[in-house]
Amino acid sequence: MTKNKLTFKALLRFFALAVLIALFVFLAYEFGIIELFLNEEKLKNFIQSLGPFGVVGFVLLQAFQVVAAPIPGEITGLLGGYLYGTFWGIVLSTVGLTLGSVIAFILGRIFGKPFVERVVDPMVLNKFDYLLHHKGAFLVFFLFLIPGFPKDYLSYFLGLSRLSLLEFTVIAGIGRLLGTVLLSFGGDYLRHHEYGKFLGLAGIAVVVMVIVWLFKDKIERLLRIWHISKYRKNKQKK
């Protein structure tokens, strides 16, 4: 009887969330918000038109692109450097990305596995299911550092893990920093028409991404083996 009640409550929460998401998407489409997010020039003009409130708008934009991912994070990262310069671009992007990651984490924790399975790519779920065995905070931090890993999906998925909210917040904030710094520099170069520096930075980023892509499976396999072996050793000690 208790199990049936718990199942009914879980289904009810999931249905309520689905209705809210559907309503949000409908309103976003009707008011042209989705079209705004998909047009980089309109997006830039919109943020600038907010004046002093543009800072808050940009932070919320960064958070939203993590939770809903309507636009690539690379665009908003460059936009931060372009609008606010390197330093403030890094600060504001970090705040927004961390906020979005924390929201995704909390949603995953509140609504549980049925919700996460609908939001997260099944391939990601299968690849990183070993992260649910124990905290593995260092490993999660390492994954966030590596460019090209699906950090937005991981944020939802890690809501099911044993990580505390504080631990995840620190990992998400610091772990995304490398990519944020590079994108903010890139945006600042574009702002000052330093196209040579921008192309050089883009070239380095492409090389790193290609290397990660070529060795991605090996890296994931090694991390999986290391994590599982550590889990077994800790279990034996107990």
Side-chain angles (χ1 to χ4, degrees):
M1 188 72 177
T2 306
K3 187 178 179 181
N4 290 335
K5 284 184 178 179
L6 290 173
T7 304
F8 176 75
K9 285 183 179 179
L11 288 172
L12 190 62
R13 285 191 299 178
F14 181 77
F15 177 74
L17 181 66
V19 171
L20 285 173
I21 291 174
L23 180 61
F24 178 78
V25 171
F26 173 75
L27 291 174
Y29 177 79
E30 284 296 310
F31 287 98
I33 296 174
I34 291 177
E35 183 185 357
L36 174 68
F37 285 153
L38 294 175
N39 189 307
E40 186 178 352
E41 192 61 32
K42 285 185 178 179
L43 194 59
K44 184 178 71 178
N45 293 335
F46 173 72
I47 295 294
Q48 289 176 326
S49 71
L50 295 176
F53 298 102
V55 171
V56 177
F58 176 74
V59 169
L60 293 177
L61 172 68
Q62 280 287 43
F64 185 73
Q65 68 88 7
V66 173
V67 177
I71 50 176
E74 289 77 15
I75 292 178
T76 52
L78 286 171
L79 185 62
Y82 184 89
L83 292 176
Y84 305 108
T86 303
F87 177 76
W88 286 111
I90 292 170
V91 172
L92 297 175
S93 287
T94 299
V95 172
L97 292 171
T98 304
L99 176 63
S101 300
V102 167
I103 291 172
F105 178 87
I106 292 173
L107 287 173
R109 179 145 296 182
I110 291 174
F111 295 102
K113 197 171 182 180
F115 168 69
V116 173
E117 286 176 341
R118 288 181 175 271
V119 174
V120 179
D121 189 327
M123 288 181 65
V124 175
L125 288 173
N126 293 331
K127 277 186 180 180
F128 299 106
D129 62 345
Y130 62 91
L131 293 174
L132 302 182
H133 294 317
H134 66 105
K135 282 187 178 181
F138 176 77
L139 176 58
V140 174
F141 175 69
F142 188 73
L143 290 174
F144 265 81
L145 280 177
I146 299 174
F149 272 72
K151 300 176 184 65
D152 297 348
Y153 281 149
L154 280 178
S155 298
Y156 282 104
F157 178 72
L158 290 169
L160 306 177
S161 72
R162 300 183 185 181
L163 285 171
S164 69
L165 178 60
L166 178 60
E167 288 170 325
F168 175 78
T169 302
V170 173
I171 290 170
I174 300 175
R176 290 180 180 267
L177 202 53
L178 177 59
T180 301
V181 168
L182 292 175
L183 289 169
S184 296
F185 266 109
D188 195 44
Y189 289 152
L190 289 176
R191 179 187 189 184
H192 294 99
H193 308 290
E194 297 176 310
Y195 301 118
K197 290 182 179 179
F198 176 78
L199 290 173
L201 185 67
I204 293 171
V206 169
V207 170
V208 172
M209 291 294 292
V210 169
I211 292 172
V212 170
W213 183 79
L214 289 173
F215 296 98
K216 182 174 66 172
D217 293 336
K218 289 183 180 180
I219 294 172
E220 289 174 0
R221 196 178 303 116
L222 288 172
L223 291 175
R224 178 187 287 266
I225 292 170
W226 176 78
H227 187 74
I228 292 174
S229 63
K230 187 179 177 182
Y231 168 70
R232 287 174 178 170
K233 285 179 182 177
N234 290 338
K235 202 171 182 181
Q236 286 173 359
K237 287 179 183 178
K238 292 179 182 179

